[in-house]
Amino acid sequence: MGPHTEGWKRREQVTMATRGHSSCSSMSNHTKERVTMAKVTLENFYSNLISQHEEREMRQQKLERVMDEEGLPDEEKCMRRSQHARKETEFLRLKRTRLGLEDFESLKVIGRGAFGEVRLVQKKDTGHVYAMKILRKADMLEKEQVGHIRAERDILVQADSLWVVKMFYSFQDKMNLYLLMEFLPGGDMMTLLMKKDTLSEEETQFYVAETVLAIDSIHQMGFIHRDIKPDNVLLDSKGHVKLSDFGLCTGLKKAHRTEFYRNLNHSVSNDFTSQYMNSKRKAETWKRNRRQLAFSTVGTPDYIAPEVFMQTGYNKLCDWWSLGVIMYEMLIGYPPFCSETPQETYKKVMNWKETLVFPPEVPISERAKELILRFCCEGDHRIGATGVEEIKRNPFFEGVDYDHIRERPAAIPVEIKSIDDTSNFDEFPESDILSPTAAAAPTKSPAAAAAAEADYKNKDWVFINYTYKRFEGLTARGAIPSYMKGSKR
């Protein structure tokens, strides 16, 4: 305990020094930033020591609890404890090992966004395949997204659920941040909906029911997703749902920040002309524009609850509104507020009492309509306000076995030919995001680019403590599951 006590004393001294210096107007901004950097570095160092000790204790307690529940004999318990101790030792060794790009082989680009991309990669020493999310530091600093990126990383560290995409590693280099996630070969709900005109009510029941459980798991952890949309509903190798994109979801794209829409209510209205298209033309227009919206900096406000755009605040019920919009899209073929421009869509969302209508030429059951309208209504009356059981008991979900839904076959099976099968993803050309010069904008002069790089280097300390390695599954090699075996595509 001696080193810890001494460490906290040093931390307190730095904290007091920081407080004292902050009031000194003669101190330069550079010096203030260096003092803050030292404070954050020390705080993180000692905080990590304590958290690592606590996590180790929790893992030991969990092991003892599981062994007691299984009623193992003493000999078996001794063997389990010995195996656990060896794994802890290997984990400590791996924690001290610096991960970098050289430890992974890039196989293919499987996603692209405004400030980065997602690649399928393979870890060279184990052969394990991951989805690597790459984010440019310069963009994060320029667009003030550091808080959102940190939030996603922290949430994924805390989340340990079948309903949430699992993160195994995070690390950084001079140019980029890297998140190593489990690769879900089923693709996402957006791609599935674009392949099909509409889903049947039975298929819709399955996906909405699983998404209800997924959203509830996030709420139980104390988080509001705020960006539930088909792009963020991923499908695993058996076709079951997992949620992705936490924290950064409200910030990575302009369309997901309230400020982007602040003046949209003053924009010139096109009189909602697309509202009068028939459902077939509307679906065609939506699918034509959908992919472009997904990968642009503009995005789409189609799935965002109206209260999120208002200054009066919102709560976890905004996620249920978004699910109602997705359910409508599954059954009708396009979301209820889709328009030619984000401005029109925004105005339709805010005017939902008049614009949320069901086209007569696409018949759906009254139970489905009733549930959609219970999701997409005023927050005070929205289904889920009294808890998730209110949603699960809705007549639309009659016959759903929530306790075993993930063990049953998915409504639409996913075919996986190999461990790196990307047939359920879009095709993307290669990029230069991993090259040393990628961070410098091509429009900048060499001098301006060098100055910008120096500025980013000075601010790089804000990404401190970004590195993470997950204990569970970290050292497990194991055989490739039978459903993933086969020749590579």
Side-chain angles (χ1 to χ4, degrees), residues 40-41 43-45 47-48 51-52 95 150 153-154 157 170-172 460-468:
V40 172
T41 303
E43 284 181 339
N44 275 288
F45 177 77
S47 175
N48 283 340
S51 64
Q52 286 171 25
K95 289 276 280 185
R150 171 71 65 175
R153 179 255 184 220
D154 291 347
V157 166
S170 62
F171 60 90
Q172 58 179 300
D460 197 54
W461 64 270
V462 301
F463 298 107
I464 195 168
N465 203 33
Y466 192 80
T467 300
Y468 171 76

Side-chain angles (χ1 to χ4, degrees), residues 425-442:
F425 292 83
D426 287 333
E427 292 291 329
F428 294 93
E430 279 295 321
S431 73
D432 63 350
I433 192 171
L434 298 180
S435 72
T437 57

Side-chain angles (χ1 to χ4, degrees), residues 87-114:
K87 190 170 181 180
E88 286 284 4
T89 300
E90 187 173 356
F91 183 55
L92 277 174
R93 181 182 61 79
L94 288 167
K95 289 276 280 185
R96 297 187 186 106
T97 304
R98 181 181 290 273
L99 273 180
L101 275 178
E102 63 276 5
D103 297 300
F104 300 90
E105 180 185 355
S106 178
L107 303 179
K108 188 176 183 180
V109 179
I110 57 175
R112 186 158 287 146

Side-chain angles (χ1 to χ4, degrees), residues 31-51:
T31 304
K32 290 178 183 176
E33 196 166 76
R34 299 292 292 182
V35 170
T36 305
M37 178 181 174
K39 172 178 178 285
V40 172
T41 303
L42 282 171
E43 284 181 339
N44 275 288
F45 177 77
Y46 290 106
S47 175
N48 283 340
L49 283 180
I50 292 171
S51 64

Side-chain angles (χ1 to χ4, degrees), residues 235-261:
L235 302 174
D236 67 13
S237 59
K238 295 183 179 179
H240 292 276
V241 161
K242 289 200 178 196
L243 293 181
S244 71
D245 275 3
F246 303 91
L248 68 104
C249 54
T250 57
L252 250 190
K253 296 177 181 176
K254 292 178 184 176
H256 303 156
R257 295 199 300 271
T258 307
E259 306 87 65
F260 180 69
Y261 294 107

Side-chain angles (χ1 to χ4, degrees), residues 393-411:
R393 288 194 305 265
N394 187 273
F396 181 77
F397 297 117
E398 184 181 356
V400 172
D401 181 1
Y402 291 101
D403 293 333
H404 303 97
I405 191 169
R406 204 171 182 95
E407 300 160 22
R408 305 280 170 81

